[in-house]
Amino acid sequence: MDSVLDLGYIPIGSYAAFDLGMGFSANWELVGLPDRSKDLPSDGFEGILIFADTYEGARAWIEQLTTLMPQTPVNLLVTEQALPMLMPYFDSEQVTGIVSGLNDAAILEAEFSGGNQTAARWWAYQAGVILLIMVMVIGAIYAGNQHEEEGEE
Amino acid sequence: MNFQYEIFWIVVSFLLTVMVLSYLLGDNIFFRFSAHLFIGLTSGYVVLLIIKEILLPYLLTPFLGGTWIERLWLGIPILLILLLIVSQIKKFTWIGSLPLAYLAGLAAAVAVGGAVFGTLVPQSRAIVDSFDPTNLDLRGSRSWLTIIDAVVMLVGTIGTLSFFYFGRKKKPETDADRKKRPMIFEGLSKVGQVFIGITLGAVFAGVFSSALLALIDRILVIGQFITNLMGNV
């Protein structure tokens, strides 16, 4: 990767993605329209990395970019809550790669930096997940008992 | 100077974190203060962002310094903005329907185009491709797993689509039949329900996981702050 282009703040996901995609794929232009894409590289991007905390935000960009710029690899860096709904885009090969959640962060850290930022969070994360499972099991048992008692009454 | 500045923001972030976490003890003035502060800051930030990153560089600067033909093009969004502002006056509410219709039409065109060509078609093609015998040969010993995977995906897709089918029986025999879907869709929708349940479960696990990691991060910040404070005392 020779250079990284910061496009600044781009409002409204799907419109912006459509605009970006059309900037490379459209072979027509309206006479006299102010040039919006003058900062974009003339030969397109080597790849696009989408940062997103929600499924909807990432999907809007994936849908537009993979349609209008199918030759450009699209990669995702998303939160774990967005991952399950975005996996089909990876399976269908519309998205080249996904990094999401603590597990992926640990793998990347081990591969590139060798630090221990994720290790500090790992034990707390495991404890939190175990706690959730316990709360769910206790909740299910308690709710079941309560349901039976209401039925008897 | 820089050190004091950094210390100031660490203290502010520590206090705000504690204020938000104080909601665990019930709704209180500290939590409400932090929530209002967050909403106010976000609103102010968004307004500044829109002025600095959108209105100035893409509308006002080119309009004031552009050629006549460029100004003519930029006159269209400016006119639509003015119509929206004027529509706030009770007498001229109807004027707002023009820019709103333009926005709704554009949103529908972009969203529908994206959904069809970016999701529906590629996802359907992926399901069809997973049954492609050429692909199976390439994957060798894992071919049976691939077939099972493809079948599950196909059943899940058909089941989920059937769940959202809201048709009725063509020739209902009883009153109860009028409210029922055709038998085949009833059966498939039950299968779809299982897949939707699993999906929602996975989404919930993801939401919990993200929230848990955010909480851990905040607790680490508090712990680090207290450790540093104790170390300096």
Side-chain angles (χ1 to χ4, degrees), chain A residues 1-150:
Chain A
M1 187 166 58
D2 295 329
S3 62
V4 174
L5 180 65
D6 181 6
L7 295 174
Y9 172 69
I10 302 178
I12 319 175
S14 50
Y15 292 147
F18 181 77
D19 184 45
L20 183 68
M22 286 299 279
F24 290 109
S25 63
N27 51 7
W28 50 268
E29 60 179 275
L30 294 169
V31 180
L33 195 71
D35 191 5
R36 285 268 287 97
S37 55
K38 58 187 171 192
D39 295 331
L40 299 177
S42 55
D43 53 346
F45 293 101
E46 282 178 36
I48 292 178
L49 181 63
I50 298 173
F51 293 80
D53 62 343
T54 58
Y55 153 70
E56 290 85 1
R59 194 196 63 184
W61 281 87
I62 294 167
E63 283 181 344
Q64 299 299 334
L65 293 180
T66 54
T67 308
L68 299 168
M69 302 164 71
Q71 305 303 323
T72 309
V74 175
N75 295 290
L76 302 178
L77 186 57
V78 294
T79 56
E80 200 148 346
Q81 69 183 35
L83 182 68
M85 301 294 276
L86 292 172
M87 276 307 284
Y89 294 99
F90 178 71
D91 291 336
S92 66
E93 295 174 4
Q94 287 173 272
V95 168
T96 318
I98 303 181
V99 174
S100 171
L102 194 62
N103 194 39
D104 286 358
I107 293 168
L108 279 181
E109 192 178 48
E111 186 76 28
F112 295 109
S113 74
N116 62 350
Q117 287 285 311
T118 49
R121 288 159 175 82
W122 193 251
W123 292 107
Y125 178 75
Q126 284 182 320
V129 170
I130 290 167
L131 194 68
L132 173 80
I133 293 167
M134 282 167 63
V135 168
M136 282 175 78
V137 170
I138 292 166
I141 293 166
Y142 179 74
N145 286 345
Q146 207 173 28
H147 189 69
E148 274 176 22
E149 280 171 17
E150 281 172 5

Side-chain angles (χ1 to χ4, degrees), chain B residues 85-224:
Chain B
I85 293 169
V86 172
S87 72
Q88 299 305 305
I89 302 167
K90 264 193 180 175
K91 269 188 180 176
F92 303 107
T93 316
W94 57 273
I95 284 180
S97 54
L98 184 67
L100 287 178
Y102 168 74
L103 282 176
L106 192 66
V110 171
V112 170
V116 171
F117 296 109
T119 296
L120 203 61
V121 172
Q123 293 300 318
S124 307
R125 196 186 297 153
I127 293 171
V128 174
D129 282 350
S130 56
F131 286 96
D132 186 352
T134 334
N135 290 343
L136 294 181
D137 288 338
L138 286 172
R139 286 162 191 169
S141 60
R142 288 176 58 83
S143 58
W144 278 108
L145 276 177
T146 315
I147 291 171
I148 292 167
D149 191 39
V151 169
V152 170
M153 196 154 57
L154 183 69
V155 171
T157 307
I158 293 171
T160 308
L161 288 173
S162 303
F163 182 77
F164 292 105
Y165 175 81
F166 298 111
R168 292 283 174 264
K169 282 186 176 179
K170 254 186 180 176
K171 292 174 186 170
E173 287 166 7
T174 60
D175 279 350
D177 272 0
R178 288 180 200 281
K179 294 175 186 172
K180 279 186 181 171
R181 292 180 285 189
M183 191 67 83
I184 184 151
F185 286 109
E186 277 293 329
L188 285 170
S189 74
K190 298 279 180 215
V191 178
Q193 263 181 318
V194 174
F195 280 88
I196 291 169
I198 292 169
T199 308
L200 291 179
V203 171
F204 172 72
V207 171
F208 171 78
S209 175
S210 298
L212 182 64
L213 283 170
L215 179 69
I216 291 167
D217 193 61
R218 286 294 86 197
I219 290 171
L220 277 176
V221 167
I222 293 172
Q224 210 167 4

Side-chain angles (χ1 to χ4, degrees), chain B residues 48-80:
Chain B
L48 280 177
L49 197 70
I50 288 169
I51 293 171
K52 188 174 170 285
E53 299 280 347
I54 302 165
L55 293 180
L56 280 177
Y58 294 133
L59 198 65
L60 295 176
T61 310
F63 185 75
L64 296 172
T67 60
W68 277 107
I69 197 155
E70 282 179 351
R71 284 181 189 175
L72 209 63
W73 278 114
L74 291 168
I76 298 169
I78 290 174
L79 179 72
L80 292 172

